Every structure is written in C-alpha cells, then in structure tokens.
Amino acid sequence: MAAPVVDPRAAAADTPTRRGTEAALLAFAVLITVVAQMIVDLTVTGALRPEMAGFSVWITALWVVAHLVVRKWASYADPLLLPAVALLVGLGLAVIHRLDLAAGQVGSTVTREDAPVQLIWATLGVALFVAVLVVVRDHRTLSRFAYTLALLGIVLLALPAFLPASISEVNGAKIWIRVAGFSIQPGEFAKICLVVFFAAYLVDKRDVLALASKKVAGLELPRGRDLGPVLLAWVLSILVLVFERDLGSSLLLFGIFVVMLYVATERASWLFIGLTLFAGGALISYQIFGHVRARVDTWLDPFAYIDGAGYQLVQSLFGLGTGGLFGAGLGGGRPDQVPIAKSDFIAAAVGEELGLFGLVAVIVVYLILVERGLRSSLVVRDAFGKLLAAGLAFAVAWQVFVVLGGVTGLLPLTGLTTPFLAYGGSSLVANFVLVALLMRISDAARRPATPHATPQRLGDAPTEVVRP
Amino acid sequence: MNAPLRRVAISVLVLFTLLIINVNIIQVVRSESLRQNDRNTRVLAETYDRERGSIIVDGTEVAMSVPTDGRLTYLRTYPQGPLYAPVTGYHSLIYGNTKLEDAMDDVLSGEDDRLFVRRIADLFTGRDPAGGDVVLTLDPAVQAAAMAGLEGRTGAVVALDPDTGAILGMASTPTYDPGLLASHDPEAIRTAMEAITAQDPDPRVNRAIEDNYQVGSLFKVIVAAAALEDGLTPETVVPAPRELPLPNSSRVIPNFGGSACSPSGEQSLIDALTISCNTAFAQLGIDLGEEAVRDMAEAFGLDDEGLDIPLDVARSTVGDIIDDAALAQTSIGQRDVRMTVLQAALVAATVANDGVQMTPYLVDELRAPDLSVLDETDPEVLREPISAEVADQLTEMMVSVVARGSGRAARLPGMEVAGKTGTAQVRPDVPDHNWFMGFAPADDPQIAVAVFIANGGSTGGDLSAPIAGDVMAAYFEGQGG
C-alpha cells in the first residue's frame, strides 16, 4: 500500500455492530416482498393465493437465517448490504410471479411459470451465502487459491464454447450448460473466480505494473513486457465474444479487469490503455461480426428494426413510456409483451408497472449496494481485501449499468442478467456468493482492531480538541 | 489504493446518474409519444378487457365485441366483414385502429366525455365499463347492391340521401375481411396482414373518399350550371363543331369517337349534355371564362378543405387553368380536374335537392351501453351553389341524359332517373376511368349515387350506369316500393 492505513476507530473498542439496523431493514424488505406478492394477486386475479401464507413464512425464514448467520459469523459486516439484496430479490420474485400470471394472455410472450423455481434458487443462494460466511472466516485465505480459481474460472467460461450447441446455446448465445432440465450459466460463477484471481495476482504484481518506463503525451506508459496480463485478459474477452457470441460477459470481464488494474497500480495510463484496447476491439468486432453490428445498428435506431432485431427494445421502451411517472401498478400493465421479460428485460417490467419512481428506486438500491461495497474496500486494511472488495462491488455496478443501459436504449443490448432481480438460478446464486464475500470483507473492515494491532504513527493521529 | 478507489466510487455514481437521467427522458419526456405510438399495443390491449361498443347498420351489428373464454378479453368480430370494411376499418391488437374504429374510438372504447357520468357510476357499482354504440346511416340493401356491382373491379360507390346528406352506401373494392386482423393471435394477424398488403391495389384504401380521380364528362354538369346561372336555358343553342381547335395550340378537342355532335355544328344545351358533346362544353367554358367555371366548381365544393364524415375525405380539385386551351380541357373534365367519389355524389345530390348541398354524414346516432341516445346527427346545409330554378333545369337535362343519351343503362322502370356519365382519360397508356352520377326519382329525389370504376377501359354509360341503376333499384325495393 502506498501509505499505512490508519484505523480511525482503533481507540473505539465498543464499535457498534449495527446488526439491529440490519434486522429492522430486513423486516422492511420482507414486508415489501410479501405486500408486493399480495398486490400482484389482488390486481390480476382479484383474490389472494392460499400459498401466500407459506410464501411469507418461507421468505421470512430465509432472511432470519441469513441474518442470524451474519450476527454470529460476520457481526461487524455492513448493515445495508443484506437488506438491499433482500429487497431486490423480493421485488424480483413479485415481478416474476406477476409475469407468470400473464401466461396465455393475448400478445403475451410468457409461456411458463418460473416464480416457484426462482424461490428455490433464492433459497439455494442463501444457503451458499451462509456456507461462504461459515467456511471463509478470513477472506485472505482465498488468495492462496488464486491460480486454482483462475483455472476454474477459465474452464467455466470456456466450457459452453466446447459443448455442442444443443447443450449450450440459447437464443444465439453459447453461454449455457443444460443438464437434466437445469440451465446453468457458468459465466456467472467464472466472474467471481476471476475477480478473486485478479485481486490476488494484481496485489502480487502491482509494484512491477506500476513502474513507468516512458512518458508519451503526458501519460506514463508501463513497460511493454508488463502489458502481458492486460493483453491476456483482453484476448480472453475477445475469445468469449467470438466463440460464445456473448457481448455482455466479454464487456463485463474486461471492464472489471481494467478497473482493478487501475485501482491496484494507481496509474491512469492503464485506464487509457484499456480504453484503447476496448475501442480497437469494439471497432474490429463491429467490422467482423454480424451479430455485433446488428446489435449496434439496432441500438442506434431500434424503431427502424421494429419487426426484427429491434422488436424487444422497442417493446421495452413502449412499456417504460406507458408506465410513465407512477407506472401501471403491479399487475396493471402488460410487461409480458416484452420478450424475455423475466430475465433480460425485467427492468422494463419494473419501469412499466412501478413507473419512473419504482425504477429509480431500484437503481438507487443498487447504488447503495455498490457504494457500500466500495466503502468496505476503502476501509479494509489488507491490500488483497481492498482489491477484492473493489472488484466485486464494481462487478455489480458495471453489470447493472450495462444491463439497464441496454434495456433502456442507453447502450447496445448485451444480454447480461440484472443481479438479484432477474429470473435465473446461476446469476442469483453466484451473486449471493459475491455478496457473502463483500460481507466478509466489510466485517473485517469494521471489526475493531485487536489491542495488539500495529500502533499508530503519532503524525497520523487525529488532532484532539483541547477542552478547557 | 484509496485515491483511485474514490475515483471509481465517483465514476459509479456518474454511471448510475446517466441511467437515471436516461429513464427520466424515456418515462417523462418521451412518455406521451411512446404511449401514442401506433405500434404500442398496450393501450389497445386494455380496451380488450372492456366491452367495446358496436357499429350498427339498420339494427344489425356490423362490428361487435363478443366475450371469449380467454381471460377477460373480448374478441372484435365483423359479421359481414368485407361488405362494410371500407367504412368500419379494423380494430387490431397489432395494427391499431383504422377508419370508423379509429375515428369513433372514444365512443366505442367508452372514453368519450359524453359517457363520463356513466364511467363514474361504473366505478361505484363495480359494473364492467363498456363502450357506446355507433349507429350508421347506411342502408344494407344499398351497400350490398353497391358491393355486388363493383365485384371483380377496382372502384367505389357512394349513395346519399339528397335531403339530409345521410350516406346510404359507401362501397370500395377490392375489399378485405377486417375480422382476420382482429383475432387474438398475433401470428395469425401478421399473416393475414401480409396477405392483404401483398395485394395490388391495396384493399385497405377506401376509394370513395381517400383518393380523387379524373372525372371526365361529369364536370360538364358544373359547366352547364355555370351557363344556366349566366342566363342560358336548356334550349339555348350553342356551337358544337366536329372538333374544336384549341386556342394558341396546334391541338384540337375531338368528340368521343371523332363523331359530330350535330349535322349543323350547333345544338341546344340540353342536347349537348345528353350526348355529352365535348366541343360544345369546351367552347362554352371558354365563352363563360375561367372565373365563372372555377367559381361554380368551388361553389359545389371543389378545392375546399376538410370534410369529416367523420372519416377524412380527400380534396377535390379544379387545378391550374393557365390559358383558354387549358380552360377548354378543364371544361370537359380533363387536365387537372379531380374529384372523390363522394364529391361526385354530392354534386348529383345538390342538383336533386333544389340546389342545396347537405353535409354528408355516416354516423346517425351514438348510444350509451344502456341504449339511451347520447347524440344524434342533425342534417346541416353545407353549401348552396345554385338556385332552385337552375337545379330544376339541370334535372331536366340530366333526365334527358338517362332517357335518351349516354346514361340509358341507368334507367329504372316506372320512374324518371337523372344522371350524367363520365369517361375520363387517365394517361395515354392506361384504360379510362368510368363514371356515373345521378339520382332518382327525378321529380322527388330520394337517393343520389356516384359510381366510379378505375381503369374500366369502357365508358361510364356501359360500365357504371348499370351499377347505379342496380343500387337505386335496391334502395327502392328496400323501401318497400
């Protein structure tokens, strides 16, 4: 680290754990989850489901268990992370259930029921969340498995490309493994493995990577031989793009890597190199790959392709526009007219039924999640933890930005999932693991230093106000 | 590492701000235009949850919504789809509303302010909101005869009640079945629409009002009206040479088939109209002058904007008249003279109604879902281009056309029919348009008709006059007489 990190709370041995705050916020999230389900049923069918009671108990139990585990095994963790996740998952369940009810309606694109399955996935997600917190007592142990995880990540990422299309291809993207009725998107797990690896690797090499060799146009460029890892990451992203036709994952991985590299080395030149490589890659892919070109053309003028590639985006915009400020109310709109509304385009469903206010609220909840993660990264003392938290938090931010930007026409569509909100087991479970890691790091960040911690340097101590 | 971390945190804030600004633009700024977009079926889909009102002709529903087994949805059906399609249009989940389904959408969907009180009541009583009914002026016998007459050809027929302006028939061919576009299966709708759009000419066009055409000799009635207003009588003898050299031009106006109108080179006005003598009317137009001819055409409604019946009607035009040669050609309905079929029917109806032109209308009354009358159309005078005396003289001349002249095919047993034929040159390489406009009975007109056959390639007398006769006969049969 560049400067010794000071723990401003070293003196405060009685740091509040803030678990009470978390419990209260979780209760609120549960309330929203249950009420949203009820509103959907009342609006669409006019009556409550008998399963409602069971659902409420299930959801409550889920977060009570998660909360108790945090109390015991990560008692100083940030109190906002878990409620933010609970709120997003709960809202997602309500919207997916609402879309389930639209099956068979005129013009509906919904063909099957997914909410019960999503609840199972959420349960599995919480189970993994618990497992991570119980097993990983200190996040630093993860750095020992960096290369194993890297290999696992690359295998997971590359697997669908080598499997036959019948197993791995859905809607033109070869990013799936479909076994016995289950679809897994290994890329979601690869994302976490690779972030852990990046963090460990960069902490190791950051001094070397930060060495400048020559200045070009005001930028200190690193030595050519140190460009290796960046180029490797870039090539990997491009390969994903080519063999799996997955624009989203490619963009996600490369973005995360460049930002982590920048944070590790504190050199803006890496950002510049990253952007240059990205721009070059983007330009070349636009020239070479029809599917990339189609995406970009559609993004520029979706209405020109309203009956083809632009249909989905235009329907999404119609939904958002029709929703307006306050939305049509849960169950009051026609979000089912947007193809794949449960996963890729769930934000359009939120915007249509909960309006601008609902959608902005969701964006703000994501923002809280991300900024709290980055805050842990700022405060935590070890370099690996810092970088890992930064990578994980930025991964969520970048993914949310790319997806929401895509469905609202700000960016070309990429086909990533909306974390926690969208239907999809892999995404949900993987992101629970991601949040568990963030919780573990934030716990380490806020935990009061042991009495034998490194003594502070006097010069860094806060000036005391002398009271008469 | 903290400095770059803070920058990353700020960058994330910026990215999310961009997202929020963008959804604000979509959901606030562009909201209305996205909502109103023709391809946005959301608002339309809502109407499927509500019983849309019916379009009614003579007590029978020609467009109605029937409840289906599907969830809370109504299916729009058109029991006699192709017969009324030019007027009803369609109400489609994918393609939106057209024609009356569009023009009367507020009433049919129940959004109209006149249904406001009932909507509030629905809120309190929990009754499902329903739309109001639209009752048309059409006469089923007239409509059926018109469509049957046009079968296999491209054309249109408009029939009016000259006293009121009520539209008794409005047919246009080729036609289509709007029911196919109103189903609940998007794929089936798209397939049906592809089949319709693949046709040439386009069946979705209502040729009675949406387009104007060269009218040829029909225009001679307007020139005759100008001459009579100028003081001539039907018996006044006018020059009618074999051919008329156009002033300042090497070209000549011939008569139909190059024949002479009369051995003496002149004839009475009534005879000139009876045999539709080109040279007589071309010379008459030149003698009257551009202003008189144009004023009379405009008095009848040409070059005027904005008929709304409540469907939009295209303009009818006289066009530019640059010199006497152009005036001569204009006077026999060539050059740039264009009329809609409705306008032609209006000209005939005006002559029939003693020179008083009534505003044409399709909607007779609006009914609330409980069948109480919300609104009724009162006949209104639109224009008074000619005096009753001139109208009588024109009637006499037009009776002669049907009795002894080019319109003989429109004769009906037991009554005098008045009319005028038209055969209009379109372009040198395409067949002529064939027209007939007229009314009956001549002494107490009850129906005025205009028949248009696009590129029929024959004459108005041979092709269009018989259809007009059939339509009028069907009307009188339907009236029990």
Side-chain angles (χ1 to χ4, degrees):
Chain A
M1 242 164 294
V5 171
V6 177
D7 179 9
R9 294 178 315 276
D14 55 347
T15 309
T17 60
R18 311 281 309 274
R19 297 277 63 85
T21 310
E22 179 178 85
L25 287 171
L26 276 173
F28 173 72
V30 167
L31 183 71
I32 296 271
T33 306
V34 172
V35 168
Q37 289 275 341
M38 287 180 171
I39 292 174
V40 167
D41 281 331
L42 286 174
T43 312
V44 180
T45 62
L48 290 176
R49 281 176 300 161
E51 297 95 334
M52 205 54 236
F55 173 85
S56 311
V57 171
W58 186 301
I59 278 286
T60 310
L62 217 53
W63 298 120
V64 165
V65 167
H67 175 69
L68 290 176
V69 167
V70 172
R71 245 178 212 282
K72 178 143 177 50
W73 279 287
S75 53
Y76 283 91
D78 191 293
L80 285 178
L81 291 171
L82 195 59
V85 169
L87 191 60
L88 291 167
V89 170
L91 189 61
L93 281 168
V95 174
I96 293 164
H97 173 57
R98 182 266 167 278
L99 287 163
D100 286 348
L101 293 178
Q105 265 207 299
V106 182
S108 173
T109 61
V110 178
T111 50
R112 46 171 228 200
E113 195 178 41
D114 290 313
V117 182
Q118 179 78 346
L119 185 58
I120 304 284
W121 282 118
T123 311
L124 191 62
V126 170
L128 268 175
F129 172 89
V130 168
V132 169
L133 285 182
V134 172
V135 172
V136 183
R137 295 294 175 79
D138 184 346
H139 58 267
R140 284 171 296 192
T141 51
L142 286 173
S143 60
R144 282 189 246 141
F145 304 105
Y147 285 89
T148 320
L149 285 171
L151 189 66
L152 180 64
I154 289 174
V155 167
L156 282 174
L157 198 59
L159 204 52
F162 294 109
L163 290 169
S166 62
I167 295 178
S168 65
E169 188 163 342
V170 178
N171 299 331
K174 287 189 70 169
I175 51 174
W176 297 89
I177 301 175
R178 286 187 294 176
V179 190
F182 279 99
S183 310
I184 303 166
Q185 242 179 311
E188 290 284 349
F189 296 96
K191 176 178 75 182
I192 298 175
C193 298
L194 289 171
V195 169
V196 175
F197 165 70
F198 288 160
Y201 174 86
L202 291 171
V203 165
D204 249 8
K205 302 272 193 254
R206 73 178 200 276
D207 295 340
V208 179
L209 292 169
L211 281 177
S213 64
K214 55 174 176 282
K215 262 189 145 162
V216 177
L219 274 172
E220 295 181 340
L221 292 181
R223 293 179 310 190
R225 72 177 106 148
D226 301 325
L227 280 170
V230 194
L231 288 171
L232 194 68
W234 182 69
V235 168
L236 190 69
S237 310
I238 293 289
L239 288 176
V240 167
L241 179 69
V242 178
F243 287 105
E244 304 189 357
R245 291 190 289 283
D246 185 6
L247 201 60
S249 298
S250 166
L251 193 63
L252 182 69
L253 283 175
F254 190 63
I256 293 169
F257 182 71
V258 169
V259 166
M260 287 176 78
L261 189 59
Y262 164 66
V263 171
T265 61
E266 306 197 10
R267 291 218 170 275
S269 54
W270 283 117
L271 283 182
F272 178 77
I273 292 165
L275 277 174
T276 311
L277 280 172
F278 168 75
L283 230 97
I284 292 166
S285 350
Y286 181 82
Q287 301 292 349
I288 297 180
F289 306 124
H291 68 278
V292 176
R293 201 161 41 239
R295 285 270 163 98
V296 174
D297 291 347
T298 306
W299 166 63
L300 289 172
D301 187 7
F303 287 88
Y305 304 92
I306 186 164
D307 287 317
Y311 182 78
Q312 206 176 0
L313 181 56
V314 169
Q315 285 298 326
S316 163
L317 293 176
F318 282 163
L320 291 169
T322 309
L325 276 179
F326 302 100
L330 273 173
R334 290 301 307 276
D336 50 289
Q337 292 192 352
V338 187
I340 337 184
K342 287 178 190 173
S343 51
D344 293 28
F345 276 78
I346 197 156
V350 171
E352 176 172 354
E353 301 217 317
L354 300 176
L356 175 74
F357 290 108
L359 188 53
V360 170
V362 166
I363 294 173
V364 169
V365 171
Y366 278 120
L367 189 61
I368 290 170
L369 186 66
V370 171
E371 296 293 354
R372 281 293 179 154
L374 289 172
R375 192 164 168 261
S376 311
S377 163
L378 269 173
V379 178
V380 79
R381 289 170 286 267
D382 70 293
F384 172 70
K386 256 187 175 341
L387 208 45
L388 181 57
L392 294 174
F394 183 76
V396 174
W398 191 229
Q399 188 160 351
V400 169
F401 177 71
V402 169
V403 175
L404 294 192
V407 301
T408 57
L410 187 65
L411 310 167
L413 267 178
T414 52
L416 284 171
T417 54
T418 325
F420 301 112
L421 199 61
Y423 172 75
S426 320
S427 163
L428 195 59
V429 172
N431 283 310
F432 264 107
V433 171
L434 188 153
V435 165
L437 292 174
L438 272 181
M439 294 282 279
R440 171 54 63 223
I441 297 166
S442 78
D443 173 59
R446 292 185 71 251
R447 193 171 285 279
T450 49
H452 306 294
T454 43
Q456 285 184 43
R457 291 207 318 224
L458 202 57
D460 293 325
T463 313
E464 297 214 10
V465 179
V466 182
R467 293 187 184 80
Chain B
M1 283 198 240
N2 285 359
L5 269 174
R6 287 203 176 85
R7 280 188 210 116
V8 168
I10 290 166
S11 309
V12 167
L13 192 59
V14 170
L15 291 183
F16 277 49
T17 308
L18 282 178
L19 281 181
I20 290 172
I21 291 171
N22 186 47
V23 294
N24 266 285
I25 290 171
I26 293 169
Q27 301 200 263
V28 181
V29 181
R30 292 173 61 195
S31 170
E32 204 50 34
S33 72
L34 286 167
R35 207 178 304 219
Q36 302 293 340
N37 190 300
D38 290 347
R39 297 296 304 273
N40 185 354
T41 52
R42 275 174 179 70
V43 186
L44 192 63
E46 277 171 30
T47 69
Y48 275 74
D49 293 344
R50 184 185 282 187
E51 187 174 9
R52 187 175 175 84
S54 302
I55 299 176
I56 297 169
V57 171
D58 193 33
T60 310
E61 280 137 333
V62 299
M64 61 198 286
S65 286
V66 295
T68 63
D69 298 338
R71 255 194 39 210
L72 359 133
T73 48
Y74 285 90
L75 179 69
R76 193 68 168 167
T77 55
Y78 300 87
Q80 308 169 73
L83 180 58
Y84 291 99
V87 177
T88 60
Y90 50 78
H91 171 75
S92 165
L93 191 63
I94 308 273
Y95 298 104
N97 297 326
T98 60
K99 311 289 192 279
L100 280 178
E101 290 278 28
D102 179 38
M104 301 309 292
D105 188 46
D106 277 358
V107 174
L108 292 167
S109 66
E111 295 294 322
D112 193 276
D113 290 341
R114 285 165 291 201
L115 290 161
F116 176 77
V117 177
R118 186 194 150 84
R119 275 210 309 279
I120 299 294
D122 287 344
L123 270 181
F124 288 107
T125 57
R127 188 172 47 183
D128 274 339
D133 292 344
V134 175
V135 182
L136 304 187
T137 53
L138 296 178
D139 177 315
V142 169
Q143 185 74 8
M147 272 290 189
L150 291 171
E151 180 131 23
R153 299 191 176 276
T154 302
V157 173
V158 173
L160 294 168
D161 177 341
D163 287 340
T164 61
I167 295 170
L168 302 172
M170 183 172 278
S172 168
T173 52
T175 182
Y176 63 99
D177 184 357
L180 298 174
L181 300 173
S183 79
H184 284 183
D185 173 6
E187 272 320 294
I189 297 174
R190 287 204 176 87
T191 311
M193 187 54 112
E194 275 163 24
I196 288 170
T197 49
Q199 292 176 47
D200 185 40
D202 191 336
R204 292 169 302 171
V205 176
N206 179 341
R207 291 177 173 71
I209 52 174
E210 285 171 32
D211 207 349
N212 55 27
Y213 307 95
Q214 291 91 341
V215 290
S217 309
L218 293 195
F219 196 75
K220 289 173 186 167
V221 172
I222 289 176
V223 176
L228 296 170
E229 285 285 349
D230 201 45
L232 278 66
T233 67
E235 280 65 42
T236 308
V237 174
V238 293
R242 173 179 281 275
E243 50 186 30
L244 184 73
L246 284 175
N248 311 321
S249 155
S250 58
R251 298 181 51 203
V252 296
I253 287 194
N255 285 309
F256 190 78
S259 58
C261 292
S262 86
S264 60
E266 52 184 21
Q267 63 188 157
S268 64
L269 199 52
I270 187 167
D271 287 346
L273 193 75
T274 303
I275 62 161
S276 201
C277 176
N278 285 344
T279 54
F281 278 94
Q283 185 60 51
L284 192 57
I286 294 172
D287 293 345
L288 286 165
E290 183 198 337
E291 202 177 341
V293 172
R294 185 182 287 283
D295 284 355
M296 184 52 75
E298 286 173 2
F300 269 99
L302 277 76
D303 282 330
D304 204 354
E305 288 291 345
L307 265 184
D308 180 17
I309 62 166
L311 304 176
D312 288 340
V313 181
R315 277 180 81 178
S316 299
T317 59
V318 180
D320 284 343
I321 302 174
I322 46 174
D323 55 17
D324 276 357
L327 178 57
Q329 289 175 304
T330 301
S331 301
I332 58 167
Q334 295 301 146
R335 272 193 89 82
D336 297 329
V337 177
R338 297 248 190 319
M339 287 195 210
T340 59
V341 185
L342 175 67
Q343 180 63 45
L346 270 180
V347 171
T350 308
V351 176
N353 196 35
D354 297 328
V356 179
Q357 193 174 94
M358 304 301 289
T359 305
Y361 62 97
L362 257 174
V363 177
D364 194 22
E365 59 182 31
L366 305 176
R367 290 191 198 144
D370 59 6
L371 302 184
S372 62
V373 175
L374 286 175
D375 203 348
E376 227 173 337
T377 310
D378 296 319
E380 281 175 13
V381 173
L382 180 61
R383 305 181 182 94
E384 297 190 46
I386 49 176
S387 65
E389 188 193 355
V390 169
D392 278 348
Q393 293 171 322
L394 277 175
T395 302
E396 181 197 343
M397 290 163 69
M398 287 168 74
V399 165
S400 165
V401 170
V402 176
R404 294 182 295 279
S406 56
R408 280 194 293 266
R411 282 178 301 184
L412 293 177
M415 70 172 74
E416 278 192 320
V417 178
K420 181 71 195 84
T421 57
T423 304
Q425 291 167 8
V426 186
R427 284 195 311 274
D429 52 339
V430 291
D432 296 349
H433 290 327
N434 305 125
W435 287 87
F436 179 88
M437 69 176 184
F439 53 90
D443 50 352
D444 174 25
Q446 290 169 41
I447 180 168
V449 182
V451 177
F452 160 73
I453 304 285
N455 313 117
S458 174
T459 63
D462 287 345
L463 216 51
S464 299
I467 298 174
D470 291 346
V471 169
M472 292 189 278
Y475 173 77
F476 294 119
E477 239 163 79
Q479 300 297 304

